[in-house]
Amino acid sequence: MGEIWIKEAERLGDGSIGGAMDTPGAPPRVVWHTTESGHGDTFFKNVGDYLIRVGAEPHILYDPSTDRLGQYGPLSQSARALRNDGLTRTNRTGKVCIQIEVLAKAARPFTEYWKPGPNFKALMRAIRSWGVPDVWPAGALADRYADPDVSRSRTVWATRGGHYGHSQVPGNDHWDPGAISKPAIFAAAPKEAAPAPTPKPSTPAKPVVPTVDLSNLIAAARRDPGLKQGGTTHPADVRIVEGALKAEGLLPAAYASDGSFGSSTVAAYRKWQQRCGYTGSAADGIPGKASLEKLGAKRGFKVKA
Ligand SMILES: [Zn+2]
């Protein structure tokens, strides 16, 4: 369902101008008319009232000189500005048949001097909301009465969606809206850029669980205390364990990230082993699989044994 009442438009008349469409399965369309009058607020009022009086209301009354926009009836129903084509009720052809009376004259195409503004954009937004394509399926618009170059093909009218001039509707003989610029209608209301696709909510990156290599740690714990202060063997593995020992309150911060499994780290690891229940030579400060896995489970690393 598209926009039924354009919120930017003034309401004209009592809001009731037609009824259900006869061929709602047919493509949506727009028909452009000109009122064959002047423009400005006086004409807007007088011509607007006249169309009600004679029962020829379109959906929309538009002033191309002021961008003033009025609406007589719901876009989802028919309007009254077309003549029937025999038994075909042209006003009721299509999913919608949105009719627009422009305060202008066919002999002076309004796209040559108009000042379309936000209200024209609102009108086009509403038109497009019904799926009316930005095309003119019936070819050339009339540039004079009984213009022989103009087609009023019944087939096109019945089967093609888009924009029509009154001059292109079968069963009708008016030549409005004149030879307006067909592309100008669309250019005055560029389509909104398609909204950027909403980025998929990124699955939060799984925290990377670091892995330490038990044999590397054992090698470091055996070798590093004999190196000169701060010497390292497998610093990447050692730093992870140092961080865990520090978090346990067993290793002073000063030694906690040097990557060296020196004597302070050995002493800290011994305390961890004792915490785990090891005693005597079982708590020698050299990591073993069970105590290391316990530390990793508590402090967030895995052990590769
Ligand atoms: Zn007309």
Side-chain angles (χ1 to χ4, degrees):
M1 187 72 100
E3 292 181 37
I4 293 174
W5 291 97
I6 303 171
K7 66 177 190 295
E8 291 86 346
E10 302 167 38
R11 296 287 191 98
L12 304 174
D14 65 7
S16 171
I17 59 168
M21 303 306 287
D22 288 342
T23 55
R29 75 273 322 279
V30 169
V31 180
W32 293 88
H33 302 262
T34 46
T35 54
E36 302 309 300
S37 74
H39 49 71
D41 287 349
T42 303
F43 281 104
F44 195 98
K45 170 86 173 91
N46 292 345
V47 176
D49 289 347
Y50 168 80
L51 290 169
I52 294 172
R53 217 159 46 238
V54 299
E57 300 97 320
H59 295 92
I60 300 294
L61 184 63
Y62 181 70
D63 187 332
S65 67
T66 62
D67 196 43
R68 190 171 171 189
L69 183 67
Q71 182 171 356
Y72 289 98
L75 301 185
S76 52
Q77 296 186 359
S78 61
R80 296 171 168 158
L82 295 172
R83 186 187 296 166
N84 289 345
D85 178 27
L87 294 177
T88 299
R89 300 200 290 182
T90 51
N91 285 305
R92 296 178 187 244
T93 302
K95 180 182 183 186
V96 292
C97 182
I98 299 169
Q99 300 190 49
I100 302 163
E101 285 279 4
V102 180
L103 285 164
K105 296 180 180 177
R108 190 183 169 215
F110 64 82
T111 51
E112 291 173 7
Y113 61 86
W114 67 336
K115 298 185 185 106
N119 284 337
F120 188 79
K121 290 191 174 75
L123 171 60
M124 288 299 295
R125 182 197 68 222
I127 288 169
R128 288 168 176 146
S129 79
W130 288 97
V132 178
D134 281 6
V135 295
W136 294 80
L141 288 161
D143 64 6
R144 59 188 185 278
Y145 184 76
D147 184 340
D149 299 329
V150 163
S151 161
R152 290 191 174 95
S153 162
R154 290 192 170 104
T155 305
V156 171
W157 175 253
T159 61
R160 302 279 304 278
H163 292 247
Y164 290 81
H166 190 180
S167 58
Q168 298 172 319
V169 180
N172 286 252
D173 64 358
H174 290 190
W175 69 285
D176 58 311
I180 59 171
S181 163
K182 293 185 284 189
I185 295 294
F186 309 131
K191 278 187 184 174
E192 305 272 332
T198 320
K200 276 187 188 163
S202 55
T203 35
K206 271 190 184 167
V208 177
V209 178
T211 300
V212 299
D213 186 307
L214 178 61
S215 59
N216 286 351
L217 286 171
I218 292 170
R222 291 194 193 289
R223 182 165 176 263
D224 292 355
L227 301 177
K228 70 175 191 192
Q229 179 64 39
T232 63
T233 303
H234 292 287
D237 296 272
V238 173
R239 274 195 197 98
I240 293 166
V241 175
E242 285 178 323
L245 293 170
K246 174 176 174 267
E248 287 295 316
L250 300 174
L251 182 65
Y255 301 105
S257 62
D258 63 3
S260 170
F261 213 117
S263 50
S264 301
T265 308
V266 170
Y269 201 87
R270 181 182 299 119
K271 288 182 197 159
W272 171 249
Q273 289 168 318
Q274 289 164 347
R275 242 181 227 182
C276 295
Y278 298 100
T279 54
S281 64
D284 59 358
I286 309 294
K289 186 165 182 282
S291 64
L292 191 61
E293 283 179 341
K294 212 168 196 174
L295 184 60
K298 195 170 173 197
R299 295 295 168 185
F301 62 85
K302 287 192 288 195
V303 176
K304 179 181 166 230

